[in-house]
PDB file of all heavy atoms in Angstrom:
ATOM      1  N   SER A 340      -8.460  -0.281 -14.245  1.00  0.00           N
ATOM      2  CA  SER A 340      -9.579   0.546 -13.798  1.00  0.00           C
ATOM      3  C   SER A 340      -9.081   1.741 -12.975  1.00  0.00           C
ATOM      4  O   SER A 340      -9.581   2.866 -13.130  1.00  0.00           O
ATOM      5  CB  SER A 340     -10.548  -0.287 -12.960  1.00  0.00           C
ATOM      6  OG  SER A 340     -11.570   0.522 -12.414  1.00  0.00           O
ATOM      7  N   VAL A 341      -8.095   1.486 -12.123  1.00  0.00           N
ATOM      8  CA  VAL A 341      -7.516   2.558 -11.317  1.00  0.00           C
ATOM      9  C   VAL A 341      -6.886   3.611 -12.219  1.00  0.00           C
ATOM     10  O   VAL A 341      -7.071   4.816 -12.029  1.00  0.00           O
ATOM     11  CB  VAL A 341      -6.469   1.996 -10.334  1.00  0.00           C
ATOM     12  CG1 VAL A 341      -5.685   3.130  -9.661  1.00  0.00           C
ATOM     13  CG2 VAL A 341      -7.143   1.124  -9.286  1.00  0.00           C
ATOM     14  N   ILE A 342      -6.148   3.155 -13.226  1.00  0.00           N
ATOM     15  CA  ILE A 342      -5.505   4.078 -14.164  1.00  0.00           C
ATOM     16  C   ILE A 342      -6.550   4.917 -14.892  1.00  0.00           C
ATOM     17  O   ILE A 342      -6.401   6.136 -15.026  1.00  0.00           O
ATOM     18  CB  ILE A 342      -4.632   3.293 -15.175  1.00  0.00           C
ATOM     19  CG1 ILE A 342      -3.437   2.672 -14.459  1.00  0.00           C
ATOM     20  CG2 ILE A 342      -4.163   4.208 -16.307  1.00  0.00           C
ATOM     21  CD1 ILE A 342      -2.641   1.686 -15.305  1.00  0.00           C
ATOM     22  N   ASP A 343      -7.616   4.279 -15.357  1.00  0.00           N
ATOM     23  CA  ASP A 343      -8.681   4.998 -16.077  1.00  0.00           C
ATOM     24  C   ASP A 343      -9.307   6.075 -15.194  1.00  0.00           C
ATOM     25  O   ASP A 343      -9.574   7.196 -15.648  1.00  0.00           O
ATOM     26  CB  ASP A 343      -9.758   4.023 -16.545  1.00  0.00           C
ATOM     27  CG  ASP A 343      -9.286   3.140 -17.704  1.00  0.00           C
ATOM     28  OD1 ASP A 343      -8.271   3.499 -18.344  1.00  0.00           O
ATOM     29  OD2 ASP A 343      -9.931   2.107 -17.956  1.00  0.00           O
ATOM     30  N   ARG A 344      -9.565   5.732 -13.937  1.00  0.00           N
ATOM     31  CA  ARG A 344     -10.200   6.687 -13.027  1.00  0.00           C
ATOM     32  C   ARG A 344      -9.274   7.866 -12.713  1.00  0.00           C
ATOM     33  O   ARG A 344      -9.705   9.026 -12.635  1.00  0.00           O
ATOM     34  CB  ARG A 344     -10.609   5.981 -11.745  1.00  0.00           C
ATOM     35  CG  ARG A 344     -11.774   5.006 -11.929  1.00  0.00           C
ATOM     36  CD  ARG A 344     -11.946   4.111 -10.718  1.00  0.00           C
ATOM     37  NE  ARG A 344     -12.363   4.859  -9.537  1.00  0.00           N
ATOM     38  CZ  ARG A 344     -12.379   4.328  -8.313  1.00  0.00           C
ATOM     39  NH1 ARG A 344     -11.993   3.067  -8.128  1.00  0.00           N
ATOM     40  NH2 ARG A 344     -12.775   5.053  -7.279  1.00  0.00           N
ATOM     41  N   LEU A 345      -7.996   7.574 -12.547  1.00  0.00           N
ATOM     42  CA  LEU A 345      -7.040   8.642 -12.265  1.00  0.00           C
ATOM     43  C   LEU A 345      -6.869   9.569 -13.467  1.00  0.00           C
ATOM     44  O   LEU A 345      -6.816  10.790 -13.321  1.00  0.00           O
ATOM     45  CB  LEU A 345      -5.685   8.040 -11.874  1.00  0.00           C
ATOM     46  CG  LEU A 345      -5.621   7.388 -10.485  1.00  0.00           C
ATOM     47  CD1 LEU A 345      -4.324   6.605 -10.327  1.00  0.00           C
ATOM     48  CD2 LEU A 345      -5.731   8.444  -9.386  1.00  0.00           C
ATOM     49  N   GLU A 346      -6.782   8.973 -14.663  1.00  0.00           N
ATOM     50  CA  GLU A 346      -6.647   9.785 -15.879  1.00  0.00           C
ATOM     51  C   GLU A 346      -7.890  10.646 -16.083  1.00  0.00           C
ATOM     52  O   GLU A 346      -7.792  11.805 -16.494  1.00  0.00           O
ATOM     53  CB  GLU A 346      -6.420   8.884 -17.097  1.00  0.00           C
ATOM     54  CG  GLU A 346      -5.065   8.195 -17.136  1.00  0.00           C
ATOM     55  CD  GLU A 346      -3.919   9.140 -17.466  1.00  0.00           C
ATOM     56  OE1 GLU A 346      -4.169  10.362 -17.587  1.00  0.00           O
ATOM     57  OE2 GLU A 346      -2.789   8.659 -17.596  1.00  0.00           O
ATOM     58  N   SER A 347      -9.058  10.070 -15.799  1.00  0.00           N
ATOM     59  CA  SER A 347     -10.309  10.813 -15.930  1.00  0.00           C
ATOM     60  C   SER A 347     -10.354  11.980 -14.950  1.00  0.00           C
ATOM     61  O   SER A 347     -10.793  13.085 -15.302  1.00  0.00           O
ATOM     62  CB  SER A 347     -11.497   9.875 -15.694  1.00  0.00           C
ATOM     63  OG  SER A 347     -12.715  10.581 -15.749  1.00  0.00           O
ATOM     64  N   LEU A 348      -9.877  11.751 -13.723  1.00  0.00           N
ATOM     65  CA  LEU A 348      -9.861  12.802 -12.718  1.00  0.00           C
ATOM     66  C   LEU A 348      -8.894  13.915 -13.113  1.00  0.00           C
ATOM     67  O   LEU A 348      -9.218  15.105 -13.002  1.00  0.00           O
ATOM     68  CB  LEU A 348      -9.467  12.226 -11.357  1.00  0.00           C
ATOM     69  CG  LEU A 348      -9.427  13.213 -10.183  1.00  0.00           C
ATOM     70  CD1 LEU A 348     -10.775  13.893  -9.989  1.00  0.00           C
ATOM     71  CD2 LEU A 348      -8.986  12.497  -8.900  1.00  0.00           C
ATOM     72  N   LYS A 349      -7.709  13.541 -13.590  1.00  0.00           N
ATOM     73  CA  LYS A 349      -6.735  14.536 -14.050  1.00  0.00           C
ATOM     74  C   LYS A 349      -7.316  15.389 -15.170  1.00  0.00           C
ATOM     75  O   LYS A 349      -7.163  16.620 -15.185  1.00  0.00           O
ATOM     76  CB  LYS A 349      -5.469  13.839 -14.559  1.00  0.00           C
ATOM     77  CG  LYS A 349      -4.441  13.504 -13.500  1.00  0.00           C
ATOM     78  CD  LYS A 349      -3.227  12.842 -14.117  1.00  0.00           C
ATOM     79  CE  LYS A 349      -2.581  13.702 -15.173  1.00  0.00           C
ATOM     80  NZ  LYS A 349      -1.417  13.044 -15.799  1.00  0.00           N
ATOM     81  N   ASP A 350      -7.977  14.727 -16.109  1.00  0.00           N
ATOM     82  CA  ASP A 350      -8.566  15.428 -17.250  1.00  0.00           C
ATOM     83  C   ASP A 350      -9.663  16.395 -16.788  1.00  0.00           C
ATOM     84  O   ASP A 350      -9.751  17.527 -17.279  1.00  0.00           O
ATOM     85  CB  ASP A 350      -9.135  14.408 -18.235  1.00  0.00           C
ATOM     86  CG  ASP A 350      -9.587  15.047 -19.535  1.00  0.00           C
ATOM     87  OD1 ASP A 350      -8.784  15.758 -20.162  1.00  0.00           O
ATOM     88  OD2 ASP A 350     -10.745  14.827 -19.941  1.00  0.00           O
ATOM     89  N   LYS A 351     -10.471  15.949 -15.843  1.00  0.00           N
ATOM     90  CA  LYS A 351     -11.546  16.804 -15.327  1.00  0.00           C
ATOM     91  C   LYS A 351     -10.975  18.028 -14.616  1.00  0.00           C
ATOM     92  O   LYS A 351     -11.472  19.158 -14.794  1.00  0.00           O
ATOM     93  CB  LYS A 351     -12.435  16.011 -14.372  1.00  0.00           C
ATOM     94  CG  LYS A 351     -13.604  16.829 -13.822  1.00  0.00           C
ATOM     95  CD  LYS A 351     -14.480  16.001 -12.896  1.00  0.00           C
ATOM     96  CE  LYS A 351     -15.627  16.862 -12.347  1.00  0.00           C
ATOM     97  NZ  LYS A 351     -16.502  16.091 -11.431  1.00  0.00           N
ATOM     98  N   ILE A 352      -9.935  17.838 -13.801  1.00  0.00           N
ATOM     99  CA  ILE A 352      -9.303  18.950 -13.097  1.00  0.00           C
ATOM    100  C   ILE A 352      -8.766  19.966 -14.093  1.00  0.00           C
ATOM    101  O   ILE A 352      -8.944  21.184 -13.939  1.00  0.00           O
ATOM    102  CB  ILE A 352      -8.168  18.439 -12.176  1.00  0.00           C
ATOM    103  CG1 ILE A 352      -8.747  17.620 -11.023  1.00  0.00           C
ATOM    104  CG2 ILE A 352      -7.342  19.601 -11.632  1.00  0.00           C
ATOM    105  CD1 ILE A 352      -7.695  16.881 -10.206  1.00  0.00           C
ATOM    106  N   LYS A 353      -8.117  19.474 -15.135  1.00  0.00           N
ATOM    107  CA  LYS A 353      -7.546  20.361 -16.154  1.00  0.00           C
ATOM    108  C   LYS A 353      -8.631  21.138 -16.891  1.00  0.00           C
ATOM    109  O   LYS A 353      -8.520  22.356 -17.095  1.00  0.00           O
ATOM    110  CB  LYS A 353      -6.724  19.535 -17.150  1.00  0.00           C
ATOM    111  CG  LYS A 353      -6.079  20.358 -18.252  1.00  0.00           C
ATOM    112  CD  LYS A 353      -5.280  19.477 -19.199  1.00  0.00           C
ATOM    113  CE  LYS A 353      -4.678  20.296 -20.335  1.00  0.00           C
ATOM    114  NZ  LYS A 353      -3.895  19.444 -21.269  1.00  0.00           N
ATOM    115  N   LYS A 354      -9.694  20.434 -17.280  1.00  0.00           N
ATOM    116  CA  LYS A 354     -10.752  21.088 -18.059  1.00  0.00           C
ATOM    117  C   LYS A 354     -11.518  22.114 -17.224  1.00  0.00           C
ATOM    118  O   LYS A 354     -11.868  23.182 -17.726  1.00  0.00           O
ATOM    119  CB  LYS A 354     -11.711  20.033 -18.611  1.00  0.00           C
ATOM    120  CG  LYS A 354     -11.140  19.228 -19.774  1.00  0.00           C
ATOM    121  CD  LYS A 354     -12.135  18.212 -20.294  1.00  0.00           C
ATOM    122  CE  LYS A 354     -11.576  17.470 -21.499  1.00  0.00           C
ATOM    123  NZ  LYS A 354     -12.520  16.421 -22.004  1.00  0.00           N
ATOM    124  N   THR A 355     -11.806  21.777 -15.966  1.00  0.00           N
ATOM    125  CA  THR A 355     -12.543  22.730 -15.128  1.00  0.00           C
ATOM    126  C   THR A 355     -11.693  23.959 -14.828  1.00  0.00           C
ATOM    127  O   THR A 355     -12.208  25.081 -14.768  1.00  0.00           O
ATOM    128  CB  THR A 355     -13.006  22.077 -13.812  1.00  0.00           C
ATOM    129  OG1 THR A 355     -11.875  21.491 -13.135  1.00  0.00           O
ATOM    130  CG2 THR A 355     -14.046  21.010 -14.070  1.00  0.00           C
ATOM    131  N   ARG A 356     -10.389  23.763 -14.676  1.00  0.00           N
ATOM    132  CA  ARG A 356      -9.511  24.920 -14.458  1.00  0.00           C
ATOM    133  C   ARG A 356      -9.515  25.831 -15.686  1.00  0.00           C
ATOM    134  O   ARG A 356      -9.613  27.055 -15.555  1.00  0.00           O
ATOM    135  CB  ARG A 356      -8.089  24.457 -14.167  1.00  0.00           C
ATOM    136  CG  ARG A 356      -7.175  25.637 -13.847  1.00  0.00           C
ATOM    137  CD  ARG A 356      -5.723  25.359 -14.080  1.00  0.00           C
ATOM    138  NE  ARG A 356      -4.903  26.476 -13.625  1.00  0.00           N
ATOM    139  CZ  ARG A 356      -3.613  26.593 -13.914  1.00  0.00           C
ATOM    140  NH1 ARG A 356      -3.005  25.679 -14.652  1.00  0.00           N
ATOM    141  NH2 ARG A 356      -2.921  27.648 -13.480  1.00  0.00           N
ATOM    142  N   THR A 357      -9.392  25.227 -16.862  1.00  0.00           N
ATOM    143  CA  THR A 357      -9.394  26.011 -18.103  1.00  0.00           C
ATOM    144  C   THR A 357     -10.701  26.778 -18.253  1.00  0.00           C
ATOM    145  O   THR A 357     -10.710  27.955 -18.615  1.00  0.00           O
ATOM    146  CB  THR A 357      -9.181  25.092 -19.323  1.00  0.00           C
ATOM    147  OG1 THR A 357      -7.911  24.434 -19.203  1.00  0.00           O
ATOM    148  CG2 THR A 357      -9.202  25.891 -20.617  1.00  0.00           C
ATOM    149  N   ALA A 358     -11.815  26.109 -17.955  1.00  0.00           N
ATOM    150  CA  ALA A 358     -13.125  26.755 -18.058  1.00  0.00           C
ATOM    151  C   ALA A 358     -13.222  27.923 -17.079  1.00  0.00           C
ATOM    152  O   ALA A 358     -13.759  28.990 -17.403  1.00  0.00           O
ATOM    153  CB  ALA A 358     -14.234  25.742 -17.784  1.00  0.00           C
ATOM    154  N   GLY A 359     -12.685  27.746 -15.870  1.00  0.00           N
ATOM    155  CA  GLY A 359     -12.707  28.805 -14.877  1.00  0.00           C
ATOM    156  C   GLY A 359     -11.869  30.005 -15.305  1.00  0.00           C
ATOM    157  O   GLY A 359     -12.279  31.157 -15.135  1.00  0.00           O
ATOM    158  N   LEU A 360     -10.699  29.734 -15.873  1.00  0.00           N
ATOM    159  CA  LEU A 360      -9.839  30.821 -16.350  1.00  0.00           C
ATOM    160  C   LEU A 360     -10.518  31.603 -17.476  1.00  0.00           C
ATOM    161  O   LEU A 360     -10.431  32.833 -17.533  1.00  0.00           O
ATOM    162  CB  LEU A 360      -8.503  30.245 -16.850  1.00  0.00           C
ATOM    163  CG  LEU A 360      -7.506  29.809 -15.774  1.00  0.00           C
ATOM    164  CD1 LEU A 360      -6.372  29.011 -16.392  1.00  0.00           C
ATOM    165  CD2 LEU A 360      -6.954  31.012 -15.025  1.00  0.00           C
TER     166      LEU A 360
END
Side-chain angles (χ1 to χ4, degrees):
S340 174
V341 170
I342 292 170
D343 288 343
R344 290 167 66 191
L345 288 169
E346 290 287 4
S347 177
L348 181 58
K349 274 181 58 181
D350 188 54
K351 182 179 179 180
I352 292 170
K353 180 180 178 180
K354 286 181 177 178
T355 54
R356 184 203 186 192
T357 299
L360 284 168

